[in-house]
């Protein structure tokens, strides 16, 4: 079979060369030349040139003439997984799932496919495990996978042939880094192979309406391995988070063309696979018999889900020339900024103190609404005085010492009241128009005002 015609393109400047070189002759960057296909093999009935459109040419229409209809979805039988997907899988959609080795990607997909196989025709393509290994996992998880079709294959053309012959409605490729195309001479997992295979599979999904789920490897930094274009061409990107030594897993939506981004699904790893956690806030709250200094509970928003997370602070005298600043689950640069605001606008200095901040449960909080909780926890640890029982806060702190509102304040307060919290310190702009049963609201505008009102109730 004739090989496809290829050339080498620079990832930095786009320069084209007929052969590979270590350094690009145009931009002088090293190791940026990757193999790309310019003409596919002509005698392969499944391969198509990479530059073909994903669908047939459509007529030009006015936006007002196009009917805006909701995308039909179908569930996977796992509520937390459907939440992250935006309500379920979409016909013709392409989902990319990444995570550390052994964190539960294949386990979750096998459970989901076993549920979907009772309603739709599904195909599981494994490039890393044999059929016997997957059968053993299904037996261990005690899932009914009798209707699940399995293929152990890594050649793209054969996989496309199976998709054309079997015509499944849902297909899983585990993983995209193991698949290779005969059109390229590079090894599986290379930039060119991953990009070409993902583009071909995406084209098939859009043309035939099959839902394709791709499993992706991650680098040691935690990012998805392969070219960045892999995340651009798919419809949904999901990340597995959590420590592999812990029994809890978080699945976060980074990109979703059919739903809200930053949705969070919480799972517990059991002997029978991943199980959804109905009350995830309980995972991120420590169980103390008595209130302890340096602990403050805040309400964070993950997509459409409010979560209560405990922020812990430990402030201790520093014996080093430069005091240490360490944060787990929070941005360390923001901690340094908040300590400066604490000194300038509240008169509390910590330049000779080591400050350690931790978000309980391994959750990562990126929104600025955690600022007020961090400062109150630091102050509590410095004074060695615990915050009142049933106390919850949220709010962004600015450089001028002002406390800014957080989005979805009503939902945060309702979640706190539902879990039994009785006192909430929030920005004045987030005060609800109607009182919330069982919840006392303390509205604050500035950080010094927050400390003054806190001393009144302690």
């Amino acid at each position: 079979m004739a090989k496809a015609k290829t050339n080498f393109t620079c990832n930095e400047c786009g320069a084209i060369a007929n052969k590979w070189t270590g350094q690009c002759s145009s931009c002088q960057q090293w190791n940026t030349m990757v193999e790309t296909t310019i003409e596919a093999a002509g005698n392969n009935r499944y391969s198509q040139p990479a530059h073909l459109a994903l669908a047939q040419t459509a007529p030009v229409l006015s936006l007002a003439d196009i009917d805006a209809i909701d995308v039909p979805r179908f569930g996977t039988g796992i509520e937390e997984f459907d939440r992250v997907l935006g309500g379920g899988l979409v016909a013709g959609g392409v989902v990319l799932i990444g995570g550390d080795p052994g964190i539960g990607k294949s386990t979750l997909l096998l459970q989901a496919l076993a549920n979907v196989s009772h309603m739709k025709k599904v195909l599981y393509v494994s490039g890393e495990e044999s059929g016997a290994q997957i059968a053993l996992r299904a037996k261990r998880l005690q899932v009914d996978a009798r209707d699940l079709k399995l293929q152990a294959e890594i050649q793209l053309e054969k996989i496309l042939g199976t998709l054309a012959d079997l015509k499944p409605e849902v297909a899983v490729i585990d993983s995209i880094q193991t698949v290779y195309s005969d059109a390229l001479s590079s090894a599986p997992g290379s930039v060119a192979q991953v990009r070409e295979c993902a583009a071909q599979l995406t084209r098939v999904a859009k043309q035939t309406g099959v839902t394709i789920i791709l499993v992706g490897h991650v680098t040691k930094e935690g990012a998805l391995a392969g070219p960045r274009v892999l995340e651009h061409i798919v419809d949904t990107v999901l990340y597995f988070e959590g420590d592999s030594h812990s029994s809890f897993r978080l699945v976060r939506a980074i990109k979703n063309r059919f739903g809200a981004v930053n949705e969070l699904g919480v799972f517990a790893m059991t002997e029978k696979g991943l199980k959804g956690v109905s009350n995830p806030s309980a995972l991120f709250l420590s169980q103390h018999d008595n209130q302890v200094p340096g602990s403050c509970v805040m309400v964070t928003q993950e997509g459409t889900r409010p979560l209560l997370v405990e922020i812990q602070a430990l402030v201790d005298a520093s014996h080093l020339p430069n005091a240490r600043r360490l944060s787990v689950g929070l941005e360390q640069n923001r901690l340094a900024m908040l300590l400066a605001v604490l000194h300038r606008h509240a008169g509390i200095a910590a330049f000779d103190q080591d400050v350690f901040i931790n978000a309980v449960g391994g959750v990562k909080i990126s929104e600025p609404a955690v600022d007020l909780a961090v400062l109150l926890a630091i102050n509590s640890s410095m004074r060695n005085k615990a915050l009142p029982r049933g106390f919850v806060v949220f709010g962004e702190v600015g450089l001028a010492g002002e406390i800014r509102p957080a989005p979805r304040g009503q939902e945060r307060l309702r979640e706190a009241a539902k879990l039994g919290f009785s006192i909430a310190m929030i920005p004045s702009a987030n005060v609800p128009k109607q009182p919330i049963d069982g919840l006392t609201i303390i509205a604050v505008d500035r950080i010094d005002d927050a400390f003054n009102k806190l001393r009144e109730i302690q």
Side-chain angles (χ1 to χ4, degrees):
M1 183 177 65
K3 293 287 185 181
K5 293 184 179 180
T6 62
N7 58 20
F8 294 85
T9 306
C10 177
N11 278 335
E12 296 292 332
C13 66
I16 298 175
N18 292 327
K19 62 180 182 179
W20 183 87
T21 56
Q23 184 183 32
C24 175
S25 58
S26 297
C27 63
Q28 308 302 318
Q29 295 295 318
W30 288 91
N31 299 321
T32 58
M33 305 298 293
V34 295
E35 187 180 18
T36 55
T37 305
I38 58 177
E39 182 180 341
N43 59 347
N44 192 323
R45 66 189 181 104
Y46 298 117
S47 62
Q48 301 180 26
H51 58 267
L52 287 183
L54 295 180
Q56 299 296 325
T57 303
V60 178
L61 300 174
S62 173
L63 188 61
D65 297 333
I66 301 176
D67 294 332
I69 58 175
D70 292 334
V71 180
R73 299 177 180 274
F74 56 93
T76 63
I78 303 176
E79 184 178 353
E80 289 294 309
F81 192 35
D82 290 339
R83 170 193 288 272
V84 180
L85 291 171
L89 294 170
V90 177
V94 182
V95 181
L96 175 63
I97 300 180
D100 295 333
I103 202 168
K105 302 184 295 298
S106 300
T107 298
L108 178 63
L109 291 178
L110 183 58
Q111 291 179 256
L113 285 187
N115 295 332
V116 176
S117 64
H118 302 311
M119 304 174 293
K120 298 179 179 294
K121 184 184 294 186
V122 298
L123 172 66
Y124 192 111
V125 180
S126 175
E128 299 178 348
E129 297 176 290
S130 65
Q133 290 175 309
I134 297 176
L136 284 173
R137 180 187 292 123
K139 183 178 180 180
R140 175 175 58 84
L141 299 177
Q142 298 182 11
V143 297
D144 185 6
R146 290 174 295 178
D147 300 326
L148 178 63
K149 305 297 182 183
L150 177 67
Q151 183 185 27
E153 183 56 61
I154 61 174
Q155 186 178 356
L156 175 66
E157 286 73 24
K158 293 181 179 179
I159 295 174
L160 296 180
T162 303
L163 293 175
D165 297 336
L166 190 61
K167 293 182 173 59
E169 296 175 84
V170 181
V172 168
I173 310 298
D174 187 8
S175 65
I176 188 62
Q177 273 80 14
T178 62
V179 180
Y180 75 95
S181 172
D182 279 340
L184 299 175
S185 59
S186 53
S190 62
V191 172
Q193 288 284 6
V194 171
R195 179 170 52 193
E196 175 68 14
C197 295
Q200 293 279 10
L201 291 168
T202 302
R203 183 178 298 111
V204 170
K206 302 304 180 184
Q207 290 177 343
T208 63
V210 57
T211 302
I212 293 182
I213 303 176
L214 306 176
V215 178
H217 294 171
V218 294
T219 62
K220 60 182 180 180
E221 290 82 15
L224 279 166
R228 197 69 176 179
V229 70
L230 184 62
E231 299 182 46
H232 288 290
I233 64 176
V234 300
D235 299 311
T236 305
V237 179
L238 307 180
Y239 272 94
F240 258 90
E241 297 178 0
D243 188 355
S244 59
H245 302 289
S246 172
S247 60
F248 298 108
R249 304 287 188 271
L250 306 179
V251 181
R252 189 186 303 273
I254 304 300
K255 170 189 176 182
N256 195 345
R257 289 175 179 160
F258 303 112
V261 296
N262 290 329
E263 283 288 357
L264 188 70
V266 185
F267 297 89
M269 179 65 79
T270 66
E271 294 180 355
K272 297 182 180 179
L274 290 167
K275 304 294 183 182
V277 178
S278 58
N279 183 19
S281 294
L283 302 179
F284 310 123
L285 298 177
S286 296
Q287 304 298 324
H288 301 297
D289 295 334
N290 299 310
Q291 293 296 102
V292 295
S295 173
C296 183
V297 177
M298 65 89 58
V299 191
T300 185
Q301 192 78 21
E302 294 289 349
T304 60
R305 161 180 277 172
L307 290 176
L308 274 81
V309 180
E310 181 180 353
I311 304 298
Q312 292 182 339
L314 176 61
V315 181
D316 193 19
S318 178
H319 302 286
L320 299 174
N322 295 322
R324 287 177 293 179
R325 306 284 186 258
L326 180 63
S327 61
V328 179
L330 304 168
E331 187 180 355
Q332 191 161 339
N333 290 334
R334 193 164 189 86
L335 172 60
M337 182 193 75
L338 291 175
L339 290 174
V341 173
L342 185 66
H343 181 211
R344 180 65 180 270
H345 298 287
I348 301 175
F351 55 85
D352 57 346
Q353 305 284 321
D354 291 332
V355 180
F356 306 95
I357 300 293
N358 177 42
V360 173
V363 65
K364 296 180 181 179
I365 305 176
S366 57
E367 67 164 346
V370 72
D371 292 350
L372 184 57
V374 171
L375 292 183
L376 293 181
I378 291 173
N379 180 63
S380 173
S381 179
M382 293 182 70
R383 298 175 58 201
N384 197 28
K385 191 170 184 179
L387 297 174
R389 182 176 293 275
F391 185 76
V392 65
V393 303
F394 63 84
E396 177 185 356
V397 178
L399 291 179
E402 78 280 9
I403 299 179
R404 299 176 179 175
R408 299 180 180 266
Q410 296 270 3
E411 298 177 13
R412 298 175 193 247
L413 293 174
R414 292 194 190 99
E415 180 71 12
K418 184 175 69 174
L419 294 178
F421 287 83
S422 56
I423 306 174
M425 180 177 286
I426 62 174
S428 299
N430 283 126
V431 174
K433 296 180 180 179
Q434 300 294 331
I436 298 177
D437 294 339
L439 194 63
T440 302
I441 302 297
I442 301 176
V444 292
D445 293 311
R446 295 187 57 80
I447 185 62
D448 53 348
D449 185 29
F451 286 126
N452 292 333
K453 291 185 177 180
L454 180 61
R455 294 188 186 99
E456 295 175 1
I457 63 175
Q458 277 184 324

